[in-house]
Structures are given as structure tokens and as C-alpha cells.
């Protein structure tokens, strides 16, 4: 077991190395949980980060939404494989076929095919999710339902609305009554007015005047309609692992109460779809969970981003070992990778899979295979080639989250070829690490690419 002193020292070293203002780390080994922190909650105030401080774990909260959905399955109120219009008769998206056939299984596994980053503020009232779902009526289709995996925030807010309808209560109340309280998550809340009585981290983003330095983010949390996407979970890293331990223990809470049948808990970790890019997140997706293998070790987890905060959770179910890292910076992927490699390397002799090796030759043989415009809701990639045949990407965000944070221009960024077909490394100025960009055609392996996969999302090539 890692001692508190060793974890504190290592975390402090890593946040200094990676220029992260503050971080919180919890490590689970069997039934033992150690929680530490380093740095500051805010560079503006200088308040020290502590293990009991609340951070924004972002999309890790999607696992809580998925758990509520499986509780409804257990109660016989929901079938994962019937169309969601069974529960939301007025549900609409732009494609009538998708509207009529998409299921909760599709939404949990990000295979609905409709665009997934519909970001809009629908107010603070209890009708926020109902209004958000009504606003999805014009969501375009990226691919046919079930055809590809493309990360969908929108799908989880739709799931949250189903929770509200079938549990007959606001989503945050369902979280409190069905997960926070029964699981003993005393360091977890949903609203800013609940968080303010705790030590609480604020996000940090690149300074628009000097992107090399960080400033406190202009907003703290996201809008209420984003609750089921993850924004309704505000918590300590230790509480994230207490939630994860419920799943590792087969659906049994800390006090010994069974809250989900073991077979449903296990079903959440069954592969539903393979991922196009297996380097950043994992090899496959379950019912809410990232599924991966680090060497011979099966690993599950989830990542999360909020405004100026970035979190990661990975656990090895068979070994009951894992960690949650929460940070108050926009992007902490390099910190996560180094920490994960150290923790899993020391304990299990393994670590995250590395990116494919960069090729020395940067020019591509047939640039026209890739050049063009690729688009999804709120984001456009314009891929061009220079005179030497090297690919460049200009990224234009239009969604409200990017506008609120003042993202810098992203023009003519190099796409660096790697030792993997149709794959390139691309680094955005808002990120601390390269991510893999994969061009693909879901209907014809090796065919002319119809989609660009980047950052967990598929972008459709325009004619």
C-alpha cells in the first residue's frame, strides 16, 4: 500500500513539473483508501488544496447517471433495448429514423449517432432538463445509430431526463436519494450553494492575453441542464473511489446494503463497442464505463473535464486497485499519464498504453485523401496540406463553452503522421498533450475517410 507521505511527495513533485495549480489524489488498494492533496485551490487566493476539498470531476459523473439508469432496470421500470421514445414520447432529433430507434443502451455506450455536444443554458429551474431535451430536436446525425462510437454529452442529459420521468423527481434529488446518501458520499454535492460551505477548487484556464500562463476561469460550474453529463457531481477524489468501490464490490454499499444486483453491475462492464482510438481513453466502452487493458490487467474508469478542471479515474476490478486524480487546470493529461504509470507500475507492473510512434517523414503520399472540412455540433476541422504535402488543421469552435472561456485561435496546426494507418498526432493550444486524430470510414475499412475522430468525437466529412 502507498503511504500518505509517499503519495503527498509524489503528487507535489508532479504538479510542479506539469504546472498544475492544485490536485487531489485518492488511491484504493483492497479496502484501504488513502487521500492526499497538493498545491492550491486557487492561484488568486492561495488557499491550500486539502483531501476534503471539493473539485469538479466532470464527466466521471456520467457513471452516476448510468448507475441510476441500471437501478431503473433493476426495478423493472426501464428496458435498455426499447426506443427511448417509449419513455420520452415527445423526443425529437433531426433524423426521424434515429429518433424512433435509439435506445438507452445506445446512449449509455455513445452509439446513438446523433451529434453529442449540444451546449445550451436552459435555466436553473426544475424544468432545465425537460427544456434541454426539447432543444435537441435539431441535433444532426453523424452516423447511423449503432454504427460508430462518438462521445455524446447530449445523450446523458437525455438519460437524466428519463431518470426524472421514471423516478418522478428532479435529477439532483435522484442522485442524492439513490446514490450520495446510500453510498455514504458525505463529500459530494450537486449545487454551488452546497459546495460553498466546503473548501472548493476553482478552475484555471490559459490567460487570453498570455496563453503560457494560467488565470482563474471566468465561470465555476456548468449549467443545470448539464447535470447528467457530470456537472451535478461535485466531490472529493476519495468519494469518487467510494462510488467506484460500490461497483467493484458488486453493487454493495459500504454499510453492506445491496443496492444493485451483481449481474447488472457486471453488465455495465461488458463491452458494447470498440473505440476508433484506443490510446487516450481505452479499447472499448461498456454501459457508462471506459474499458481497457494495461498489459494483462483489465482496467475501467472515466475521465472528466469541466471549466478549467480535469479529472481521471482508473481502477483494476480484479485487483481492487486504482486511483482518482482531480486537478484544477484545463488539461492535465501528461500529469495523469505519468501518475498512472507510476502507481500501476509500482503496484501491478503495468501502465497506460503509449501513443503510436511519430514518423520521421511528415509529408503524406496522398494529401487529398484527408483534406476537407469535418464537422460536428459546435466544432469544425478544416484539413489542408502545405506545398510539401504536410497536413494542417484549423479548428473553429462555435459552442457556448468555448466562447465563455475565450479559447485562442487554432490555425494551421500540424497533423504529425504516426506508425498507424490514417492516424496523426495533433496538439491544440488549449491542451497539454497531443491527441490522436484518426481518419476513417465506418462502412469500408481502408476506404476514403468519411469521418475524423478526435478528442473522443467523430466529425463528419462535408461533401
Amino acid at each position: 500500500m502507498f503511504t500518505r507521505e509517499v503519495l503527498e511527495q509524489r503528487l507535489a513533485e508532479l504538479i510542479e513539473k506539469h504546472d498544475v495549480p492544485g490536485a487531489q489524489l485518492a488511491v484504493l488498494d483492497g479496502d484501504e483508501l488513502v487521500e492526499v492533496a497538493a498545491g492550491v485551490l486557487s492561484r488568486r487566493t492561495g488557499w491550500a488544496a486539502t483531501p476534503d476539498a471539493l473539485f469538479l470531476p466532470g464527466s466521471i459523473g456520467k457513471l452516476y447517471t448510468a448507475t441510476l439508469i441500471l437501478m431503473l432496470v433493476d426495478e423493472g421500470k426501464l428496458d435498455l433495448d426499447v426506443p427511448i421514445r417509449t419513455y420520452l414520447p415527445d423526443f425529437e432529433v433531426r433524423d426521424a429514423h434515429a429518433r424512433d430507434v435509439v435506445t438507452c443502451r445506445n446512449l449509455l455506450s455513445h452509439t446513438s449517432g446523433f451529434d453529442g455536444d449540444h451546449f445550451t443554458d436552459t435555466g436553473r429551474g426544475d424544468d432545465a432538463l425537460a427544456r434541454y431535451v426539447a432543444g435537441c430536436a435539431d441535433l444532426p446525425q453523424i452516423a447511423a445509430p449503432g454504427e460508430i462510437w462518438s462521445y455524446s454529452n447530449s445523450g446523458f442529459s437525455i438519460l437524466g431526463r428519463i431518470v426524472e420521468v421514471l423516478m418522478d423527481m428532479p435529477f439532483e434529488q435522484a442522485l442524492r436519494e439513490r446514490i450520495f446518501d446510500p453510498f455514504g458520499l458525505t463529500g459530494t454535492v450537486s449545487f454551488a450553494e452546497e459546495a460553498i460551505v466546503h473548501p472548493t477548487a476553482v478552475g484555471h484556464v490559459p490567460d487570453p492575453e498570455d496563453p503560457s500562463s494560467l488565470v482563474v476561469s471566468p465561470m465555476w460550474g456548468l449549467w443545470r441542464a448539464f447535470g447528467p453529463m457530470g456537472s451535478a457531481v461535485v466531490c472529493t477524489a476519495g468519494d469518487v473511489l467510494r462510488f467506484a468501490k460500490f461497483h467493484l464490490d458488486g453493487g454493495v454499499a459500504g454499510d453492506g446494503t445491496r443496492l444493485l444486483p451483481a449481474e447488472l453491475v457486471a453488465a455495465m462492464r461488458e463491452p458494447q463497442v470498440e473505440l476508433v482510438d484506443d490510446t487516450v481513453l481505452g479499447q472499448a466502452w461498456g454501459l457508462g464505463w471506459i474499458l481497457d487493458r494495461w498489459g494483462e490487467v483489465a482496467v475501467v474508469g472515466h475521465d472528466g473535464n469541466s471549466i478549467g478542471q480535469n479529472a481521471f479515474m482508473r481502477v483494476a476490478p480484479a485487483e481492487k486497485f486504482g486511483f482518482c486524480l482531480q486537478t484544477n487546470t484545463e488539461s492535465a493529461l501528461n500529469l495523469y499519464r505519468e501518475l498512472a504509470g507510476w502507481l500501476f507500475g509500482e503496484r501491478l507492473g503495468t501502465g497506460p498504453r503509449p501513443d503510436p510512434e511519430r514518423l520521421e517523414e511528415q509529408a503524406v503520399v496522398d494529401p487529398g485523401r484527408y483534406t476537407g472540412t469535418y464537422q460536428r455540433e459546435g466544432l469544425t476541422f478544416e484539413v489542408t496540406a502545405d506545398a510539401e504535402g504536410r497536413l494542417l488543421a484549423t479548428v473553429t469552435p462555435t459552442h457556448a463553452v468555448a466562447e465563455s472561456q475565450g479559447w485562442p485561435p487554432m490555425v494551421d496546426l500540424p497533423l504529425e503522421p504516426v506508425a498507424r494507418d490514417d492516424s496523426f498526432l495533433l496538439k491544440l493550444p488549449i491542451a497539454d498533450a497531443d491527441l490522436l486524430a484518426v481518419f476513417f470510414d465506418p462502412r469500408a475499412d481502408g476506404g476514403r475517410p468519411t469521418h475524423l475522430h478526435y478528442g473522443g468525437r467523430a466529425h463528419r466529412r462535408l461533401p
Side-chain angles (χ1 to χ4, degrees):
M1 183 66 189
F2 293 91
T3 66
R4 185 178 311 279
E5 292 74 22
V6 167
L7 292 175
E8 284 178 340
Q9 179 180 346
R10 187 62 171 149
L11 185 61
E13 292 170 350
L14 288 175
I15 67 166
E16 181 176 2
K17 176 180 177 180
H18 294 284
D19 191 28
V20 172
Q24 194 180 65
L25 172 66
V27 176
L28 177 70
D29 197 348
D31 291 326
E32 296 296 320
L33 181 64
V34 180
E35 303 171 66
V36 299
V40 296
L41 298 176
S42 166
R43 282 191 174 170
R44 180 180 294 161
T45 66
W47 286 107
T50 55
D52 64 340
L54 306 187
F55 283 69
L56 299 174
S59 289
I60 292 175
K62 286 183 172 68
L63 290 168
Y64 297 59
T65 302
T67 301
L68 289 174
I69 289 291
L70 270 293
M71 288 176 172
L72 287 168
V73 171
D74 180 44
E75 294 164 12
K77 296 178 180 179
L78 185 144
D79 186 327
L80 293 179
D81 297 307
V82 304
I84 60 176
R85 278 172 65 89
T86 305
Y87 311 108
L88 302 178
D90 296 330
F91 172 72
E92 293 283 347
V93 287
R94 190 181 300 176
D95 185 272
H97 174 69
R99 173 200 68 193
D100 292 340
V101 304
V102 164
T103 66
C104 287
R105 187 180 298 276
N106 291 137
L107 298 182
L108 288 168
S109 58
H110 301 281
T111 58
S112 67
F114 50 72
D115 223 324
D117 279 347
H118 174 53
F119 293 144
T120 185
D121 182 7
T122 56
R124 300 189 179 206
D126 287 350
D127 63 346
L129 273 178
R131 294 175 62 195
Y132 177 89
V133 172
C136 290
D138 199 39
L139 277 185
Q141 204 72 14
I142 300 174
E147 186 174 66
I148 64 173
W149 179 87
S150 183
Y151 193 81
S152 175
N153 279 299
S154 302
F156 271 74
S157 279
I158 295 165
L159 288 169
R161 179 57 184 156
I162 292 172
V163 167
E164 290 190 330
V165 169
L166 298 186
M167 290 191 177
D168 193 27
M169 65 181 73
F171 179 77
E172 299 85 2
Q173 183 180 346
L175 279 177
R176 171 62 59 192
E177 293 186 6
R178 303 300 299 273
I179 293 181
F180 298 173
D181 289 344
F183 288 25
L185 307 183
T186 57
T188 304
V189 301
S190 287
F191 295 110
E193 58 267 30
E194 298 172 310
I196 202 170
V197 301
H198 299 263
T200 304
V202 298
H204 295 79
V205 297
D207 185 344
E209 303 299 323
D210 177 14
S212 65
S213 63
L214 297 175
V215 295
V216 171
S217 56
M219 293 172 56
W220 179 71
L222 292 167
W223 302 302
R224 189 172 180 186
F226 294 14
M229 303 178 193
S231 69
V233 177
V234 184
C235 63
T236 65
D239 263 13
V240 171
L241 288 188
R242 291 179 184 93
F243 167 82
K245 191 172 184 300
F246 164 83
H247 285 268
L248 301 186
D249 288 342
V252 176
D255 64 359
T257 305
R258 175 165 294 283
L259 299 174
L260 261 183
E263 58 269 23
L264 285 182
V265 173
M268 293 179 69
R269 302 200 298 267
E270 288 295 317
Q272 304 295 310
V273 60
E274 292 186 359
L275 304 194
V276 173
D277 166 20
D278 62 359
T279 62
V280 176
L281 295 174
Q283 295 177 319
W285 213 270
L287 298 176
W289 287 99
I290 293 170
L291 308 177
D292 205 359
R293 293 196 73 84
W294 293 359
E296 298 302 314
V297 178
V299 176
V300 303
H302 213 290
D303 299 340
N305 281 92
S306 193
I307 298 176
Q309 301 199 42
N310 194 193
F312 307 86
M313 182 261 287
R314 292 293 186 278
V315 293
E319 292 78 8
K320 285 195 175 181
F321 174 78
F323 72 96
C324 176
L325 168 70
Q326 299 199 123
T327 73
N328 57 0
T329 191
E330 183 86 356
S331 179
L333 183 58
N334 283 332
L335 167 58
Y336 152 71
R337 284 173 166 170
E338 188 167 352
L339 180 69
W342 175 65
L343 289 170
F344 272 75
E346 291 286 323
R347 178 65 173 78
L348 299 175
T350 189
R353 190 180 306 104
D355 287 328
E357 183 180 353
R358 284 177 168 83
L359 299 182
E360 185 174 341
E361 177 56 60
Q362 293 295 293
V364 297
V365 175
D366 180 13
R369 176 174 172 78
Y370 307 105
T371 56
T373 302
Y374 301 79
Q375 193 172 74
R376 64 174 171 86
E377 180 84 1
L379 201 68
T380 299
F381 279 76
E382 187 71 37
V383 179
T384 59
D386 66 14
E388 284 74 36
R390 294 171 298 197
L391 297 181
L392 304 169
T394 293
V395 185
T396 306
T398 57
H399 57 67
V401 173
E403 293 170 356
S404 71
Q405 295 183 68
W407 285 9
M410 296 179 278
V411 179
D412 288 344
L413 306 174
L415 284 156
E416 300 185 58
V418 297
R420 176 172 168 167
D421 290 345
D422 295 328
S423 300
F424 303 80
L425 284 171
L426 171 63
K427 184 178 184 298
L428 301 186
I430 58 172
D432 72 318
D434 301 276
L435 295 180
L436 203 65
V438 181
F439 294 83
F440 71 105
D441 177 358
R443 299 184 180 181
D445 186 26
R448 181 176 184 270
T450 57
H451 293 76
L452 166 62
H453 199 281
Y454 184 77
R457 279 83 165 168
H459 304 73
R460 186 167 51 87
R461 191 175 197 165
L462 300 185

